[in-house]
Amino acid sequence: MGGALRAARERRRRAGMERCDLGERRQGPVWTRRAGAAAPRGVIVNIIRSVQGYHSKTIHFLNVAFDSSGDSLLAGDRQGNIYIFDLNGNRFNLVQRTMQACTALAFNLRRKTEFLVALADYSVKCFDTGTQELVSWMRGHDSSVSSISVHGSGKYAITTSTDTAQLWDLDTFQRIRKLNVRQSVGIQKVLGVLSQDNVMRFINIETCKLLFDIGSPEEGISTAVISPNGQYIASVMENGSLNLYSVQALTQEGNKPPPSMLKVVQDGPKYISEANKLITKVTSGGSKGPWTSKGSKIQSRLLKLQANTSLENKENELPGGLNKKRLRALLKGFGEYPAKYRMFVWRSLLQLPENHLAFSSLIDRGIHSAFINIQKEYPIKSRKLLRVLQRTLSALAHWSAIFAETPYMPLLAFPFVKLFQNNQLICFEVVATVVVNFCQHWFEYFPNPPVNVLGMMENVLAHHDKELLQHLIKYNVTSQVYAWPLLETLLSEVLTREEWLKVFDNIFSNHPSYFLMVVVAYIICSRAPLLHCYQAADFEYFFHHRNNVDINVVIKEAYHLMEATPLDIHPQRMLDDFTPLTKEQYPVFNKYPTFVVDYKAQEREKIRQDEIEYLRERQLAHESAAKAQEQKAEDEVWYRKQKLLREAQEQRRKILLEEEERLAEQRQRLAVAKTELKVKELQLLDASRRRFLNYQQDQLQMELKRLDDEIARKASMRKQETAAAIQDIVLQQMELESQKQRFEQHLIQDQEAVTKEMKEEVDAHRRKVDLEDQRVQRLIEINREEIQKAHTVAEENLAKAEQKHIDTDWRLQAQRRLRRDDQDRQKCYQEIVKLLHDNRVKEAELLKAMRETEEKKWEDVVHKKAQLEEEQKVAAAADEHRKQFLDDKMNDALELAEKLQREDGCSGEHVDNTERLRDLKATCTERGVEVQQVPRSGNIHLNELSTLASSPRRSLDRSRAELARQERELMAEVRRLRQRLTAQAQNRHPPTRIPATAWSP
C-alpha cells in the first residue's frame, strides 16, 4: 500500500513538472512557464531529446557544465550534439555536432564564448559557441578523459583520465606538463554526495544534517554539476534525460517540518502456516493490522533475536557486512537477488580484493597484440563496450599468457564486461575469479576442450538420465557438442539477460561444482526436444541458440543433482572449494601446458614480424611508385608548357603575317593614288620591305632553332645525369661487393690455415691412437680365440666321457661363456678407460711440450736435438717391444696349433695352416730386421736433418704399414684355424637340441 501511495505521488509530481523535448530543433525556448520556487521537488524543467522515425528512441545526455556566471548551461548527448541553455533568456541552441560521445565538458574559460569538450577518441577540443568553429585540438591522453577542471582565471586547465592528469595552457593550447595527481576536490560548507542508490544528498558539514536530496531510486542520477553562483543544479538522469533544479526551491522544501512518525512493532504468532505467516516489522507511518511479507514493498527490517555468533557464522561472514547463509536463504526464498543490490552482493560473494596498483600495472602494458584487431572478429556497435572488452582481455593476457591463446575468452568475459563496463577493475577481478574457481581444470588439455571436466558431466548425466545419454551417443553427439558450448559461453548464448543473472546469483552462492550441475540440469530439462533431434546440425543449433526452457526448473534441478549425485562421481570431489583472489598482488596462474602456449606465442610474434616487414616493403613500393608518378607528372607538365610555347609562337607569327598583309594592301592603295613620278621610290620601298621581311623570317627561324637546341641540350643533360647517377650506384654496389668478397676471402684463408693446422695435429694423434687400438684389439681377439679353443677341446673330451649328461653340461657351458664374456668385456672396458685416460694425459703433456718447444724453438737447438735422439730411442725400444710381443704371441699360436694337430691326428689341412703360420712368422721376422736397419743414430749433423728427415720417415711408415698388414693376415689365419677346429669338433659330437636362450654378442 505504501508503494502504491509513493507511485501516485511520483505520477502527480511528473504531471506538474515542466518538460522540454529538444527533438531535431536547433534552437527554441527551454520552458513555456518558469516553475520558480514552487517547483515540485525543486525541478524547474526536465529536458529530453527524442528522435522520431521507424524506431523512436530517446538520446541520452552524458555530461553537463555551467559557465562562470552560472546563467548558461552546456550539455552533451550520446550522439555528440552540444547544446547551450541560456537560463535567463529561456533559450537553447545547438552549437556543435562532434559525431562522437563526449566524456567531459568545461564552460568556464576566460573567453566566455569558448568551451572544452573531451571526446571518445581520447582528445580534447575547444569550440566557439558564437562562430561554432573549432578553435583548437589537444591530444596526449591514452584513455578517455573523465573530467576537465579549469582554473579560476580561465588560463589553465587540467584534464584527468584513468592513467594521468595533464596541465594545459589555454592561451596557446599547449601541454605544460603531466601530473601524477588526480583532480582535487574543493571542500565547502555544503557537501553533495552521490550515493550508491543514485540519490544525491546535500549535507551541512558543520552541523552534519541533511539539507535536501535530489533524485530517487526509480529515477537515479548518473552525474551532476552545480552552477558557480549556487542557484542551479543540473543532473543527468539514468534514463538519459536532463533535470534542472532550483536550489532555492530545494532549500524551502527541505525546511518544511517533517511529518509525524510512529513506529509500530508487529509480532505474529509462532505456529502459523507458511502461506499466512506473519513476521515482525518496524514500519514508518500509522499503526496497521497484521500483513504478510509479500504484500508490500515498503522497506522494513526483521527484528530477530540473535544468539551468540558461532564458528559457522564467522565462516559465512562476507565483506560489506553480509552473511553468506542469510544470502542463501534469501536466494532460496526469492530465486534471485534484488537487481539494485545484485552487483554489491556479487562483489561480496566473490570477495574481490580490488588491487588497484596491480590492475594499473596490467593496464599500463597496453593492448595485447592478440586483441588489437578484436573488432574484426567481434563487431560490437558500442565503442565504449568494445574498448572495455579489449582492455579486460589484454589485462587477462598480461596476467597469464594462456588467455591470449584461448579462443573462447571473449565469449566468456563479454557478459561481465557488459555488466561492469563502468568499473574496469571490478570487471577484471570478477572474470579472473570466475576463471580461477569456476573454470578449474579447463586448461590442462589446451588447446583441446577440458575432457576431464566434460567426462565428469557425462558421468553425472549417465547416472541421472541414461536414456538421454544413449540417444546422444547413438547420433555421435559427444560432450564437446552438448556441454562444451554451454561452458565456454557461460550459458550466455542460450539464456536471456534476466535468466542469466538469476542463474549466476545461484552459481556465485554455491560450490564451484554447482556451475557444472546447472549445465547438466539444462540438458536434462531439455530432454524432450533433444530426443526428437536426429541430425548433428540440429544438436549444434540447439546448444547455440535460446530455447523454451524454464530457468527456475533448471535451477531447481541443479540443486537436486547436487544432493542426489553419488560422491564417487560428484564434481565436488574433483573441484576445489572457492578461493578468492589474493590482495595486493594477483596469484600466479600457470595450470596449463606452457610449451603449447609459448610455441603459439612465438609463432604469433614471428607472423607479426613478417607482417611488419611486409607492410614496410609495401610502403617502400608505394613510395617508389608515388615518386615515379610525380616524376611522370612533372615531365608531362614540362612537355605541355613547351607545346603551349610553340603554339603561342605560331599564333604570333600568324598575327604578324596578317598585319603585314594589311600593311601591303594599304601601301598598294597608296601607290595607285600616287603619280608615276614616285615609281622609283616605291620600288626602293618595296625592295626595302622585302629585305626586312627576309630578315624577320631569318630571325624567327634562328630563334626556333635556338629553342630546339636548348630543349635537346636539356634532355641530353638529364639523360647524362641519370646515367651518371645509375653508374655511381652500380660502382658503389661493385665496391661493396668486392670489399665483401675480399673480407670473406681473408676469413676463409685464416680459417683454412687454422683448420689445416688442427687437422694435421688431429690426424697424427688419430693415427697413433688407431694403431694402439688395433694392437689392443688383436691381443684381445687372440686371447679370446685361445680361450675358446681350449674350451672347445674341453667340451669335446667332456662329450666323449659324459654323453648322457650333455644337455646339462651344455647349459652350464653356456652360462660360463656368458659370465666369461661379461668378464672379458669388463676388462676390455677397463683397459679402454685406462687407455683413454692415458691418452688424455699424453695429449695434455704433448700440448704443454708443444708450447714449450714453440717458445724455446730458436733458443735451444742442442736441447731439441737431444730430445729428438731420446724420442728415436724410445720409438726403437717400443718397436722392439712390440716385435717381441708379436713373436711371443706367434710362438704361442704355433704351439697351440701343433698341439691341436697332434690331438686331431695331424690332418693335411692342419699342416697347411701350421706351415702358413710359420711363413707369416718368417716374413714378420724379415720385416722386423728391415725395420731395425732403419738408422736411428743421433750422430746426424744438423745441416743434414733436412735431407735425411723425409726418406727414413717414409721407409719407417712403409715398414710399419707392412708389419700391420702381416699382423692382420696372421690374425685372420689364426681365426680361420679356430673356426675349422670348432666346426670339426661339432661335426664329431653334435650337441643335442637346446631351447633358444639369449646370447651376448
Side-chain angles (χ1 to χ4, degrees):
M1 183 175 180
L5 291 174
R6 186 164 58 253
R9 287 198 302 269
E10 187 66 24
R11 285 195 297 272
R12 287 196 299 271
R13 182 182 65 80
R14 292 183 179 179
M17 183 189 304
E18 183 73 22
R19 173 165 292 189
C20 175
D21 187 357
L22 304 182
E24 298 296 335
R25 295 182 297 169
R26 298 182 63 89
Q27 58 183 358
V30 182
W31 55 72
T32 56
R33 64 179 180 83
R34 187 180 180 90
R41 290 190 58 84
V43 180
I44 300 175
V45 62
N46 175 253
I47 303 172
I48 63 173
R49 179 172 177 261
S50 60
V51 177
Q52 303 297 329
Y54 183 74
H55 293 290
S56 299
K57 60 180 179 179
T58 300
I59 307 301
H60 290 193
F61 285 96
L62 298 179
N63 289 280
V64 292
F66 282 97
D67 64 352
S68 57
S69 64
D71 296 331
S72 295
L73 173 69
L74 203 68
D77 62 11
R78 190 179 295 276
Q79 291 185 348
N81 298 319
I82 310 296
Y83 294 90
I84 183 172
F85 298 90
D86 185 0
L87 303 182
N88 289 335
N90 189 22
R91 299 289 297 177
F92 76 88
N93 287 282
L94 177 63
V95 295
Q96 195 62 46
R97 293 181 184 270
T98 61
M99 306 308 294
Q100 52 182 325
C102 64
T103 59
L105 288 171
F107 195 26
N108 53 345
L109 277 65
R110 184 168 60 178
R111 293 178 287 274
K112 304 301 182 182
T113 59
E114 293 180 358
F115 65 92
L116 298 176
V117 54
L119 302 176
D121 60 354
Y122 311 158
S123 65
V124 179
K125 294 183 179 181
C126 179
F127 294 99
D128 192 298
T129 58
T131 61
Q132 299 184 4
E133 293 181 353
L134 177 65
V135 178
S136 181
W137 192 350
M138 297 177 285
R139 288 182 176 272
H141 283 279
D142 295 331
S143 59
S144 60
V145 178
S146 58
S147 65
I148 302 175
S149 178
V150 181
H151 190 260
S153 63
K155 186 177 179 181
Y156 303 102
I158 295 179
T159 57
T160 307
S161 62
T162 57
D163 54 356
T164 183
Q166 301 185 12
L167 179 64
W168 303 87
D169 186 348
L170 297 183
D171 289 338
T172 61
F173 295 101
Q174 297 293 324
R175 184 176 63 189
I176 300 176
R177 67 181 60 184
K178 281 188 177 182
L179 304 176
N180 294 324
V181 296
R182 297 185 178 273
Q183 182 182 6
S184 61
V185 179
I187 299 178
Q188 301 177 359
K189 292 184 178 180
V190 178
L191 177 64
V193 181
L194 183 58
S195 306
Q196 191 174 2
D197 57 357
N198 299 327
V199 176
M200 191 169 186
R201 296 176 174 86
F202 291 85
I203 303 171
N204 189 332
I205 62 175
E206 293 180 352
T207 61
C208 296
K209 290 185 178 180
L210 176 66
L211 300 178
F212 56 87
D213 56 13
I214 59 177
S216 63
E218 291 78 11
E219 291 187 357
I221 295 176
S222 176
T223 182
V225 63
I226 305 173
S227 63
N229 55 15
Q231 295 181 2
Y232 303 104
I233 301 174
S235 65
V236 178
M237 314 303 290
E238 285 189 337
N239 58 9
S241 62
L242 180 64
N243 281 359
L244 187 63
Y245 296 89
S246 172
V247 177
Q248 181 182 2
L250 290 171
T251 53
Q252 289 179 0
E253 185 176 351
N255 291 329
K256 293 181 181 179
S260 60
M261 181 171 292
L262 177 64
K263 295 186 178 180
V264 179
V265 177
Q266 300 177 353
D267 295 329
K270 288 184 178 180
Y271 307 101
I272 296 181
S273 62
E274 191 171 4
N276 298 324
K277 185 177 181 181
L278 297 178
I279 58 177
T280 304
K281 292 182 177 288
V282 176
T283 61
S284 298
S287 177
K288 301 182 181 65
W291 57 292
T292 59
S293 61
K294 296 183 180 180
S296 174
K297 295 184 179 179
I298 298 177
Q299 296 183 358
S300 60
R301 179 177 299 175
L302 294 174
L303 298 179
K304 183 178 180 181
L305 297 177
Q306 299 290 341
N308 294 330
T309 59
S310 61
L311 179 62
E312 181 180 0
N313 290 334
K314 291 182 179 179
E315 292 177 353
N316 291 326
E317 291 297 328
L318 296 174
L322 299 180
N323 186 278
K324 194 171 184 179
K325 188 175 181 180
R326 293 180 181 177
L327 288 175
R328 288 179 179 175
L330 177 65
L331 185 64
K332 187 176 181 181
F334 295 95
E336 60 180 334
Y337 294 123
K340 185 188 303 183
Y341 303 105
R342 174 178 280 116
M343 301 299 104
F344 174 71
V345 172
W346 281 14
R347 292 168 62 177
S348 299
L349 287 172
L350 299 179
Q351 303 179 32
L352 302 182
E354 298 186 13
N355 299 329
H356 292 276
L357 295 178
F359 178 71
S360 299
S361 66
L362 295 176
I363 291 296
D364 292 342
R365 298 183 185 180
I367 302 299
H368 197 275
S369 60
F371 304 109
I372 292 178
N373 299 321
I374 192 176
Q375 66 275 6
K376 296 181 180 179
E377 187 175 359
Y378 301 98
I380 302 174
K381 293 182 179 179
S382 174
R383 294 184 60 183
K384 177 183 178 182
L385 193 61
L386 178 63
R387 187 165 59 253
V388 175
L389 176 63
Q390 195 176 35
R391 291 184 180 177
T392 304
L393 295 176
S394 299
L396 290 170
H398 292 311
W399 176 41
S400 180
I402 183 65
F403 301 125
E405 309 296 334
T406 307
Y408 56 84
M409 187 53 61
L411 300 176
L412 187 146
F414 182 73
F416 300 104
V417 171
K418 199 169 183 180
L419 286 175
F420 299 98
Q421 56 181 315
N422 294 325
N423 194 332
Q424 299 182 28
L425 170 63
I426 300 301
C427 177
F428 169 78
E429 292 188 348
V430 169
V431 176
T433 305
V434 169
V435 170
V436 170
N437 293 278
F438 299 94
C439 301
Q440 297 182 34
H441 309 295
W442 279 29
F443 308 98
E444 294 178 357
Y445 294 89
F446 181 83
N448 300 314
V451 294
N452 48 353
V453 178
L454 299 178
M456 289 189 287
M457 298 173 64
E458 189 170 352
N459 293 334
V460 175
L461 181 61
H463 178 78
H464 293 282
D465 199 337
K466 192 172 183 180
E467 179 185 357
L468 178 58
L469 181 61
Q470 292 296 331
H471 177 73
L472 297 174
I473 295 174
K474 180 180 178 181
Y475 294 99
N476 297 324
V477 179
T478 62
S479 57
Q480 297 184 17
V481 176
Y482 65 79
W484 181 235
L486 304 179
L487 290 176
E488 66 180 357
T489 60
L490 299 183
L491 301 169
S492 60
E493 282 187 345
V494 297
L495 299 179
T496 62
R497 175 187 173 89
E498 290 75 16
E499 293 174 345
W500 188 86
L501 293 173
K502 185 181 293 186
V503 167
F504 269 85
D505 285 343
N506 291 270
I507 290 175
F508 288 156
S509 302
N510 289 278
H511 190 270
S513 61
Y514 181 77
F515 175 42
L516 305 182
M517 292 301 188
V518 169
V519 176
V520 177
Y522 181 86
I523 299 171
I524 294 176
C525 293
S526 306
R527 72 187 311 273
L530 288 175
L531 291 175
H532 289 83
C533 294
Y534 306 104
Q535 296 181 1
D538 296 339
F539 289 102
E540 292 180 1
Y541 181 86
F542 183 86
F543 290 106
H544 285 280
H545 294 79
R546 295 178 182 174
N547 304 288
N548 189 16
V549 179
D550 189 354
I551 196 62
N552 295 319
V553 176
V554 173
I555 295 173
K556 185 177 180 181
E557 180 64 21
Y559 281 110
H560 171 70
L561 295 178
M562 288 286 289
E563 297 174 356
T565 302
L567 184 60
D568 55 343
I569 64 172
H570 202 293
Q572 188 172 359
R573 186 173 63 90
M574 303 298 296
L575 302 181
D576 299 332
D577 294 336
F578 178 83
T579 304
L581 299 179
T582 56
K583 292 186 178 295
E584 295 184 357
Q585 292 292 335
Y586 296 116
V588 176
F589 188 85
N590 56 0
K591 299 177 181 179
Y592 58 89
T594 56
F595 66 94
V596 176
V597 177
D598 295 341
Y599 175 75
K600 286 194 171 184
Q602 292 174 2
E603 290 297 320
R604 181 184 294 107
E605 182 64 21
K606 183 178 179 182
I607 292 172
R608 190 178 69 85
Q609 293 294 336
D610 293 341
E611 185 178 357
I612 292 173
E613 183 65 21
Y614 165 73
L615 293 176
R616 186 181 66 81
E617 293 179 355
R618 189 176 67 177
Q619 181 66 22
L620 292 175
H622 288 335
E623 291 178 357
S624 300
K627 289 181 179 178
Q629 292 293 336
E630 183 179 356
Q631 184 66 29
K632 184 178 179 180
E634 291 178 357
D635 293 342
E636 290 179 355
V637 170
W638 186 82
Y639 284 117
R640 195 180 300 114
K641 289 182 178 179
Q642 294 300 320
K643 184 178 179 181
L644 293 174
L645 180 60
R646 288 194 299 269
E647 291 177 355
Q649 290 178 353
E650 185 67 24
Q651 186 177 3
R652 287 184 177 84
R653 189 176 64 82
K654 291 179 179 180
I655 294 173
L656 183 59
L657 292 175
E658 292 176 358
E659 291 292 335
E660 289 175 354
E661 290 176 358
R662 286 196 296 270
L663 182 60
E665 291 176 359
Q666 292 177 2
R667 288 176 179 176
Q668 187 177 3
R669 287 193 298 268
L670 183 61
V672 172
K674 286 182 179 182
T675 62
E676 293 178 0
L677 295 175
K678 293 184 179 181
V679 173
K680 186 176 181 179
E681 184 180 357
L682 291 174
Q683 291 176 353
L684 292 174
L685 290 173
D686 189 33
S688 175
R689 182 179 62 80
R690 290 192 185 96
R691 284 195 303 271
F692 179 74
L693 290 175
N694 292 331
Y695 175 76
Q696 284 187 342
Q697 290 178 359
D698 294 338
Q699 289 294 329
L700 289 175
Q701 290 178 358
M702 291 175 64
E703 185 67 20
L704 290 174
K705 185 176 181 181
R706 187 183 64 79
L707 292 174
D708 292 338
D709 294 340
E710 185 69 20
I711 293 169
R713 187 178 63 81
K714 288 184 178 180
S716 63
M717 288 177 63
R718 182 172 298 171
K719 290 180 180 179
Q720 291 175 0
E721 291 175 357
T722 305
I726 294 173
Q727 188 174 4
D728 292 340
I729 294 172
V730 172
L731 290 174
Q732 291 178 2
Q733 292 179 352
M734 292 174 64
E735 290 177 359
L736 292 175
E737 189 67 26
S738 63
Q739 291 177 2
K740 179 181 177 183
Q741 291 177 357
R742 287 198 300 273
F743 181 70
E744 291 177 352
Q745 289 176 0
H746 290 316
L747 290 178
I748 291 171
Q749 290 175 0
D750 296 341
Q751 186 175 3
E752 287 179 352
V754 175
T755 304
K756 186 176 180 181
E757 293 176 1
M758 293 300 297
K759 186 175 181 182
E760 291 176 355
E761 295 176 0
V762 171
D763 290 342
H765 178 69
R766 187 182 295 120
R767 286 195 299 271
K768 183 177 179 181
V769 173
D770 290 343
L771 184 59
E772 296 294 334
D773 291 343
Q774 290 176 2
R775 291 172 181 170
V776 172
Q777 291 296 332
R778 289 196 199 98
L779 292 177
I780 294 172
E781 290 177 359
I782 291 172
N783 190 18
R784 187 181 295 118
E785 289 172 357
E786 292 175 356
I787 294 172
Q788 290 178 355
K789 288 177 183 179
H791 282 295
T792 303
V793 174
E795 288 176 1
E796 291 175 356
N797 296 330
L798 187 62
K800 293 176 182 179
E802 298 178 356
Q803 185 66 32
K804 295 181 182 180
H805 303 286
I806 192 169
D807 293 339
T808 306
D809 293 341
W810 187 262
R811 289 189 179 90
L812 291 174
Q813 189 65 25
Q815 293 295 330
R816 290 171 185 171
R817 286 185 180 182
L818 291 173
R819 191 162 51 255
R820 192 174 295 108
D821 290 339
D822 293 338
Q823 292 175 359
D824 294 341
R825 193 181 302 107
Q826 183 67 26
K827 292 179 181 179
C828 181
Y829 289 163
Q830 292 176 358
E831 293 177 359
I832 291 172
V833 170
K834 183 178 179 181
L835 290 173
L836 290 175
H837 181 265
D838 294 340
N839 289 336
R840 284 195 294 270
V841 173
K842 291 179 180 180
E843 287 175 2
E845 293 176 355
L846 180 60
L847 291 174
K848 183 177 180 182
M850 289 173 66
R851 285 194 294 268
E852 292 176 355
T853 303
E854 184 178 359
E855 292 174 357
K856 300 178 180 180
K857 187 174 182 180
W858 300 102
E859 297 178 1
D860 193 2
V861 177
V862 177
H863 177 70
K864 182 177 178 182
K865 178 181 176 182
Q867 185 179 2
L868 179 61
E869 293 175 356
E870 184 180 354
E871 289 180 356
Q872 290 176 352
K873 291 179 182 180
V874 171
D879 291 343
E880 184 65 27
H881 177 72
R882 282 195 295 273
K883 179 178 177 298
Q884 185 64 35
F885 175 76
L886 292 175
D887 291 340
D888 294 340
K889 294 300 179 180
M890 185 69 71
N891 293 331
D892 294 339
L894 289 173
E895 292 175 1
L896 179 61
E898 291 175 357
K899 182 179 180 181
L900 293 176
Q901 182 179 358
R902 286 193 301 271
E903 292 177 357
D904 294 338
C906 297
S907 61
E909 199 172 295
H910 292 130
V911 173
D912 294 339
N913 294 332
T914 305
E915 292 298 331
R916 192 178 295 112
L917 288 173
R918 289 174 180 172
D919 294 339
L920 289 174
K921 180 178 179 182
T923 306
C924 292
T925 305
E926 294 175 358
R927 296 297 181 183
V929 173
E930 292 178 358
V931 172
Q932 289 180 356
Q933 292 177 358
V934 177
R936 296 186 177 273
S937 176
N939 297 325
I940 303 173
H941 295 285
L942 290 176
N943 54 2
E944 297 176 357
L945 283 175
S946 60
T947 58
L948 297 178
S950 59
S951 58
R953 190 170 301 144
R954 286 196 295 270
S955 62
L956 181 60
D957 292 339
R958 284 197 299 271
S959 62
R960 288 180 179 176
E962 186 66 24
L963 181 60
R965 185 181 63 80
Q966 295 295 333
E967 289 176 354
R968 286 195 296 272
E969 293 178 357
L970 177 61
M971 296 309 299
E973 190 65 31
V974 172
R975 195 178 299 109
R976 284 195 297 272
L977 178 59
R978 181 176 58 83
Q979 292 176 356
R980 288 171 184 162
L981 291 174
T982 305
Q984 290 178 4
Q986 291 179 356
N987 291 332
R988 282 196 205 94
H989 308 287
T992 57
R993 191 68 175 175
I994 300 174
T997 57
W999 290 83
S1000 62

